[in-house]
Every structure is written in C-alpha cells, then in structure tokens.
Amino acid sequence: MPTLKKTYAQRSIDCAHPLAKKLFLLMENKKSNLCLSADVTRAEQLLELAEKIGPELCLLKTHIDIIEDFTPSLTQQLRTIADKNHFLIFEDRKFADIGNTVKNQYQGGIYRISDWADIINAHSLPGPGIISGLGEVGLKKQRGLLLLAEMSSANNLLDAEYAQKTLRMAEAHPDFVMGFISQKKLSSNSHWIYMTPGVQLSEGKDALGQQYITPEKAIIENGTDIIIVGRGILQANDPVIAAKKYREAGWEAYLTSITPKCAATFRS
Ligand code: 5IU
C-alpha cells in the first residue's frame, strides 16, 4: 500500500514556485485534477471545448501546431476563457533543442507561446541549458516548466536512470521547473507536481504505441497528481459527460490517496 499523501493545499505551502502554488490551490478549490488534452485541429473546436469542458478542468493542454486555421486571436480568446473558467493552459510543445533555439521557439514564431501558455514542457535530453534558455523567457512572466521524465508510449527510451537524472536537473532549477510529465512519482519532495498522460477509464493501448492506465493506478498506486485525458473524452458520445466522469474518478482517487481524516472532511 503506498504511503498517504498530503493534500494539494498542504503542498501549496511546501512549494516556492508561484505557479505550482497557484495550481495546487486551484485544484483544491475547484476539486479537479483533470487536464483535458484538447487535440483538435480547428480553432472553433478548441474554443468550444474550452468553453464547455473548462468548468471541469484544472488544466487544458494544447498542441497549438496542429491547428489548421491558427491566428493570434485564437490564443487570446483561449486565454480569456481560461481566466473566466479558472483553469491554466499547458502547451505540450516538448522543447528539445539547445537553450538559444528553444528560447526563440518559446517567445517567437507565429505562436508566441510564452504570451499565453502558463505551462510548457521540455525534454531533459539536451541537458540543463534547455531550462536556462526557456527560463530566460518564462521566469519574468511567472510561467512554469515541466520536464519529461517518463513517457506513456510502448518501448520508449526514457528508462529509470534517465528519469532520475531528469529529477536531478529539476532539483537544480526549482525556480522555473514545477514538476514532471511522468507515469509515477519520482521524489519524496512534495512540492513537485506530476502530470500523467496515457489515462483512460480502463487499461489498454491504441494502434500506435500509446498505453493507458486508469486514474486510480496513476494517482493512488503510482502517486501522481494530474490525469491528462484526450481521446477518452474527445471520442466519447458526449464529451462533457465523459469529462465529468474523469473528473470524478480523478478526484475520488485523490481523496483515497490523502489521509482518511482529510478525505472525510472533503466528502462531508
Ligand atoms: N502525451 C502522451 N504520452 C506522453 C506524453 C504526452 O500521450 O508520454 I510526454 C500526450 C499526447 C496526447 C495526449 O496529446 O498526451 C494523450 O492523448 P490520448 O489520451 O488521446 O491518448
């Protein structure tokens, strides 16, 4: 049986990172640890999802480069909906280049990611220069970075040693790195936040190597914090109802993972 965890509110006190603090409190207040992976290709679809499903989410994850009709007005509108519905925006850009290049990719180009995304992620593969490069842009805007410590896809090359080395890199940059994309908790330090993709209500896989675990496995057994769900919601007959189900499953799993006393207070 895994050890019982602190509440999100308790962990918000443990962390110095302003955005991590904000996210932990948002999760606690909104009673949601659900991130929607809004993998759609039209601007209108993205805005509609944000409007309709936003009330269920702590976080909305984008792949802005798959939008076919992108204009800067899309990300401005998305920002407005996020602020209105109280969720943060995570651009799943997976930066993976030298510091100087990722800095330009983060602040410039047509997407100007640093202007609208609260959270971004990066591979640790290039070494700590990637954190410094992104930090030069993101720190002054109070943004947060997640490092990819583990992936959900079958036979990926991110082994246990890679994950531990990624943790060490994060530990050297706690001002900008707020947590990890991972399948499990990596450290006993409670200020890190762990987000887990490859989640559906039952275990399984897709035809291209994606592997799914359940919300219970991610949060109770593996000790992570946020479930990232794409097709489990997007391909449901009614995505809003599906999002509510995932939200409830994620939140119940969280309540089970914290102390029985705290869980009783929340449930009453
Ligand atoms: N994603 C993963 N696995 C990973 C990482 C990111 O699935 O290890 I890092 C992304 C890819 C997709 C979403 O945008 O999370 C999962 O979508 P589905 O729930 O539709 O599989």
Side-chain angles (χ1 to χ4, degrees), residues 10 24 32 57 60 84 102 128 132 139 161 191 203 215 231 240:
Q10 287 164 337
F24 275 130
S32 174
L57 308 174
L60 183 135
K84 185 183 76 180
V102 295
S132 310
L139 267 171
E161 192 187 340
H191 61 84
E203 294 198 357
R231 285 165 287 176
V240 177

Side-chain angles (χ1 to χ4, degrees), residues 3-46:
T3 48
L4 292 166
K5 290 197 295 188
K6 293 181 178 180
T7 66
Y8 296 141
Q10 287 164 337
R11 288 167 65 195
S12 77
I13 299 165
D14 298 341
C15 59
H17 194 300
L19 193 66
K21 210 179 247 306
K22 181 173 171 180
L23 180 55
F24 275 130
L25 285 176
L26 187 160
M27 289 160 73
E28 185 91 40
N29 292 335
K30 200 168 173 183
K31 295 188 168 46
S32 174
N33 53 12
L34 174 63
C35 170
L36 173 67
S37 182
D39 297 332
V40 289
T41 53
R42 307 290 300 179
E44 197 186 310
Q45 292 173 314
L46 180 58

